[in-house]
Amino acid sequence: MNRRNFLQLSSAPAAADPTFSEPPSIEPYEGTWSRPEVYHLLRRTLIAPTVTEVGDALAMSRTELVDALLDNVNPQPGPSRFVRECMNASGLGWNGNDVGLTRSFYDELRRWWIGQMANHPLSIRERMTLFWHNHFAVNARTIQDPRLIYLQNQLFRRNAVGNFRELVRLVTIDKAMLFFLDGKFNKARFRNENYARELQELFTIGVADNDGNPNYTQEDVVEVAKTLTGWDWVGFGMQGTVTNNLLTGHDLVDKTVYGEKITARTEGAPELTRLLDIIFAKEETARYVIRKLYRFFVYTDVTLTPVRPIAEEIESGIIAPLATIFRDNDWDIRPVLRTLLLSRHFYDTAVRAATIKSPVDLMAGTIRATLSAPLTGDNLDFATQYAQLRSTEIQQNLNHPPGVQGWSFYRSWISSTTLPKRRFFTDAMLAGAESRIVDRLNMVFTGPIPRNGSWRIDLLAFAKQFGSYEDPELLVADIAEHLLAFAPTTSLTDRLLDEMTNGRPYEWEELDDPSREAGLAKMLRYLMRSSNYQLM
């Protein structure tokens, strides 16, 4: 990304970003391990680091920190109160015509998810859950029972850094996906090719290799659809186990995919296993997924969708060797991420601060980066309600991606409409973000119960975490380092100091808490309105 042009918000030509400082390589990084490197790693793997986490991370070696991020993914969190009640009523059918009930479920589910992002421990789990949600994109509007969306979210959490092949198998027979891409309606006599196409195009092998050569044909789509006929379940509401046999509509004919034969069985599970053997035998399957992980965690100069070729130096230096690691480790994600996050290339200065925050990164990340303690009670409810509503307003509605291709990321997040709103929303988080929550005490008998409230950043508690709190110049520098991925210019730092102290830094020591809080609010408002704050 051309950071200079973006930071200037100018359409005029600007100097291009520097090229990589050395040829891209997965060789281990052996350079400086200090605050800039720690911040870069945490910004890309967490939903923004807290002040405490940065301090803890600085006490670890690079390897210790990466291992902590990858290992600390359990236990899995349970659902929020209303969602839990809905899940426990598994035998109860869902009335899709009850718009208010469905909206209450999704609002609470999104609040719960952003609460997990805000309060999660030092772990890559939330970042990877978002990645899989975008990779296997399912739009909740299509799902007949919204509780299936929660179950899919938990599926992504349990497999956040697990085995990709197993995750593909589980997603293929996941009830939400069977509804969304019509797998439930794919029968021997009435075939549906939707999932068969997206399994190849978006989930595993991709449309074409990096040179533009097609990876599959329309005939492969037809044969994959035949292989996947019959996955269905019989039950009321959420009840019923997904199965596949002749009675559920499995097609009892031999199939041929990529020239490989799949012998017909009376049950579809062995055929699914054989199909995955064929797909995962392809080198391009590993490369396709690695390219998406690279663009999500490291660097991209294009939107993530539609899929485009990647630079040859990245393909040969990063993608190909990581694909080998992927295959050699039987499709486990953890070794791939560990190698990538410890590599020289990951810490190259050209890729730092070169990603635009998604709406969720902006909203949930602002909450998390400024926390001095976990959010609880009303603070948790109203902070996360505001964040989920505003993220939706600036084009990232969790559980409702725009299509099976997911969100595009990169420059698609910034427009003449969304940028002013981004600034207005962070202003409100400093001054008092008001929102309205519609609660339901139970699934059936209690109607909507509205409550109004607000949340704002605890500015004094946030600032007092810095050892420089009594020194205004150092405090501004520390806060800017914590919140800005791209090192601020001297003029920006000077302006931030002026905003915080009204141009009189020498009076800071004498100010009472309300006066300091007012100064911090002015300074952070200016900082969060800067283009720099949109980067990570």
Side-chain angles (χ1 to χ4, degrees):
M1 182 178 72
N2 192 322
R3 288 171 294 192
R4 291 168 178 78
N5 197 26
F6 178 79
L7 289 170
Q8 295 165 3
L9 287 182
S10 168
S11 59
D17 273 342
T19 56
F20 300 124
S21 59
E22 56 183 300
S25 166
I26 63 168
E27 290 299 312
Y29 174 71
E30 297 177 349
T32 303
W33 181 242
S34 58
R35 299 181 70 85
E37 290 74 33
V38 167
Y39 265 114
H40 173 63
L41 174 61
L42 295 183
R43 286 187 181 111
R44 295 298 175 86
T45 53
L46 305 178
I47 309 294
T50 66
V51 175
T52 299
E53 284 170 339
V54 174
D56 293 343
L58 285 165
M60 302 181 193
S61 70
R62 182 172 59 258
T63 300
E64 289 172 337
L65 180 54
V66 169
D67 285 342
L69 289 163
L70 294 172
D71 292 341
N72 192 20
V73 294
N74 288 304
Q76 300 300 320
S80 55
R81 179 199 51 76
F82 177 63
V83 171
R84 177 184 292 110
E85 179 186 289
C86 295
M87 302 305 298
N88 290 339
S90 60
L92 186 64
W94 192 279
N95 181 5
N97 295 321
D98 190 338
V99 176
L101 184 65
T102 302
R103 182 180 295 118
S104 294
F105 184 95
Y106 281 129
D107 278 359
E108 187 160 318
L109 184 57
R110 282 190 294 268
R111 284 200 302 274
W112 168 83
W113 191 355
I114 289 185
Q116 298 304 318
M117 294 179 182
N119 285 334
H120 75 78
L122 188 73
S123 170
I124 202 171
R125 184 184 68 202
E126 296 305 318
R127 179 67 65 191
M128 283 303 298
T129 301
L130 184 60
F131 175 81
W132 292 128
H133 174 51
N134 193 63
H135 183 76
F136 297 106
V138 166
N139 191 305
R141 292 185 184 89
T142 306
I143 310 305
Q144 294 184 14
D145 190 328
R147 292 172 294 188
L148 302 180
I149 291 295
Y150 170 76
L151 292 175
Q152 188 186 70
N153 183 278
Q154 291 294 68
L155 172 64
F156 295 151
R157 291 171 178 280
R158 288 193 303 273
N159 295 274
V161 293
N163 187 276
F164 177 64
R165 178 191 161 114
E166 176 63 6
L167 180 57
V168 171
R169 185 188 73 82
L170 292 171
V171 167
T172 298
I173 59 176
D174 169 63
K175 290 181 179 179
M177 184 61 78
L178 286 170
F179 262 127
F180 183 62
L181 286 178
D182 302 313
K184 180 177 172 62
F185 312 108
N186 181 26
K187 309 296 184 183
R189 294 185 61 190
F190 304 100
R191 282 199 307 275
N192 187 295
E193 298 174 2
N194 285 353
Y195 184 76
R197 185 177 307 281
E198 306 309 348
L199 173 64
Q200 298 172 89
E201 178 178 336
L202 295 174
F203 301 160
T204 57
I205 198 168
V207 175
D209 64 18
N210 209 47
D211 295 322
N213 302 306
N215 288 325
Y216 63 88
T217 66
Q218 173 58 28
E219 184 59 29
D220 292 320
V221 173
V222 171
E223 294 296 295
V224 171
K226 290 180 184 178
T227 306
L228 296 175
T229 49
W231 286 105
D232 205 347
W233 71 97
V234 178
F236 183 63
M238 291 171 50
Q239 291 179 330
T241 300
V242 174
T243 189
N244 186 308
N245 54 46
L246 288 175
L247 294 177
T248 59
H250 184 56
D251 194 345
L252 192 59
V253 297
D254 291 342
K255 297 90 177 175
T256 302
V257 177
Y258 309 155
E260 299 287 335
K261 182 179 178 180
I262 299 176
T263 302
R265 307 287 185 92
T266 56
E267 295 184 349
E271 291 190 36
L272 173 58
T273 298
R274 173 64 175 144
L275 172 63
L276 295 181
D277 286 343
I278 293 170
I279 292 175
F280 280 80
K282 294 288 189 180
E283 168 71 14
E284 189 57 28
T285 299
R287 292 198 181 202
Y288 173 77
V289 178
I290 297 298
R291 288 185 203 112
K292 290 196 72 173
L293 285 167
Y294 176 85
R295 282 171 160 153
F296 189 79
F297 280 100
V298 185
Y299 181 81
T300 181
D301 56 0
V302 298
T303 56
L304 297 191
T305 54
V307 177
R308 294 181 175 89
I310 205 164
E312 180 54 38
E313 60 178 342
I314 300 299
E315 182 73 13
S316 59
I318 305 294
I319 307 304
L322 283 181
T324 298
I325 291 172
F326 205 11
R327 290 159 62 92
D328 288 349
N329 284 274
D330 196 27
W331 302 97
D332 278 347
I333 289 289
R334 188 187 184 282
V336 170
L337 289 175
R338 188 176 191 273
T339 301
L340 180 62
L341 298 176
L342 289 172
S343 69
R344 288 196 308 233
H345 182 68
F346 181 79
Y347 297 95
D348 196 300
T349 55
V351 305
R352 301 186 197 183
T355 294
I356 297 173
K357 291 177 181 176
S358 72
V360 164
D361 282 309
L362 178 70
M363 301 308 299
T366 296
I367 293 172
R368 195 171 196 281
T370 56
L371 284 182
S372 56
L375 283 174
T376 58
D378 283 347
N379 280 334
L380 176 63
D381 285 348
F382 288 109
T384 54
Q385 176 73 347
Y386 183 80
Q388 68 100 351
L389 291 175
R390 301 292 82 80
S391 297
T392 296
E393 193 171 338
I394 49 177
Q395 300 179 354
Q396 193 175 25
N397 185 357
L398 291 175
N399 302 315
H400 293 78
V404 69
Q405 78 283 354
W407 291 287
S408 296
F409 284 76
Y410 192 57
R411 287 190 178 273
S412 64
W413 297 130
I414 301 293
S415 70
S416 58
T417 299
T418 60
L419 184 57
K421 287 184 176 181
R422 283 172 166 245
R423 291 168 167 171
F424 178 79
F425 296 157
T426 53
D427 286 355
M429 297 172 90
L430 295 167
E434 297 182 355
S435 54
R436 177 184 178 88
I437 294 175
V438 179
D439 286 321
R440 286 179 181 264
L441 298 184
N442 60 64
M443 186 174 177
V444 179
F445 300 108
T446 306
I449 302 174
R451 56 187 168 117
N452 299 319
S454 66
W455 171 85
R456 72 186 187 97
I457 297 168
D458 189 337
L459 298 172
L460 290 176
F462 167 61
K464 287 178 179 178
Q465 295 178 96
F466 297 96
S468 57
Y469 180 66
E470 297 297 337
D471 185 323
E473 293 187 16
L474 292 179
L475 178 61
V476 165
D478 286 346
I479 289 177
E481 178 191 47
H482 183 67
L483 296 179
L484 299 178
F486 194 78
T489 62
T490 300
S491 61
L492 176 58
T493 304
D494 290 344
R495 177 63 184 269
L496 294 174
L497 180 62
D498 285 345
E499 291 287 331
M500 189 176 79
T501 64
N502 287 320
R504 298 188 294 274
Y506 48 83
E507 293 181 354
W508 180 257
E509 185 177 354
E510 307 301 325
L511 296 179
D512 58 16
D513 279 354
S515 298
R516 288 189 177 190
E517 185 176 37
L520 286 164
K522 284 183 61 182
M523 182 269 289
L524 285 169
R525 182 177 184 272
Y526 194 88
L527 180 151
M528 291 179 181
R529 280 180 157 259
S530 70
S531 301
N532 196 336
Y533 190 64
Q534 308 303 322
L535 302 175
M536 59 180 281

